[in-house]
Amino acid sequence: MLCLSFEIVDKGGVEEVLKSVTAEIQVPGRKAVGFVVDANGCWRSQWKRVCERLGRAGMEPPKDPNGEGTIIEGQPRVGVWMMPDNRSAGELEDFVRQMVPAADAAWPLAKEFIRRIPREHREFTEGKTRRAELYAWLATKEEPRLMGSAIRTGDLRTDTELCRRFAGWISRLFGTGLPGIAG
């Protein structure tokens, strides 16, 4: 069994991740570094922004992100995963929504609950409806918890194709067991 060692650093959002690209790539002795960013509204425009930052750091990213997660060989090896799946508009919560068990009876009810909130009473924007549905569903669990905890307790499935692809990207990027970072 391959043992991977890496550190996850929450930069607080896409803008902060992009601002940190050059500095993170230039950390002395770093063998690998990974950046996880939300695609948000348009994956193509977000990829262009990522490529600009990588280019400033001396990297040569591909024209399009790899659907299995992009890895640029060099010193250090640099990886980019654009949530949810490297080719769709969206964010981390769109990735996690795919981990909700298909037969979960509370899932359609959580979506219906959010749908039934009158627009004038919603404090979230239309673009955050899917995120609100996910958090409404998480609130139905025996121990309502955040996404990461819901993964550890088995409320969310990790055996999906998308999870396997993401885990494969992490394994390929950090497979040497050397420390790195995921933004």
Side-chain angles (χ1 to χ4, degrees), residues 1-70:
M1 182 165 136
L2 182 62
C3 182
L4 302 178
S5 176
F6 59 92
E7 176 185 7
I8 297 173
V9 178
D10 183 352
K11 297 288 186 178
V14 173
E15 297 307 319
E16 291 75 17
V17 171
L18 292 176
K19 288 177 190 173
S20 74
V21 166
T22 299
E24 295 295 349
I25 289 173
Q26 293 176 350
V27 170
R30 180 165 278 163
K31 302 296 182 196
V33 60
F35 300 98
V36 177
V37 297
D38 289 339
N40 290 332
C42 177
W43 69 266
R44 287 187 188 278
S45 63
Q46 192 73 299
W47 181 249
K48 183 178 178 184
R49 294 178 69 213
V50 168
C51 289
E52 287 172 3
R53 292 297 177 143
L54 291 170
R56 287 184 203 166
M59 305 303 297
E60 294 183 27
K63 181 180 180 220
D64 291 314
N66 184 319
E68 301 298 313
T70 301

Side-chain angles (χ1 to χ4, degrees), residues 136-172:
W137 177 79
L138 287 167
T140 70
K141 300 295 103 190
E142 181 178 344
E143 293 283 333
R145 54 184 53 96
L146 297 175
M147 292 180 290
S149 297
I151 292 168
R152 283 189 291 282
T153 60
D155 289 335
L156 290 165
R157 294 180 52 218
T158 58
D159 61 347
T160 67
E161 178 58 31
L162 186 55
C163 286
R164 283 191 286 274
R165 287 176 33 213
F166 184 68
W169 171 75
I170 290 172
S171 180
R172 288 188 310 278

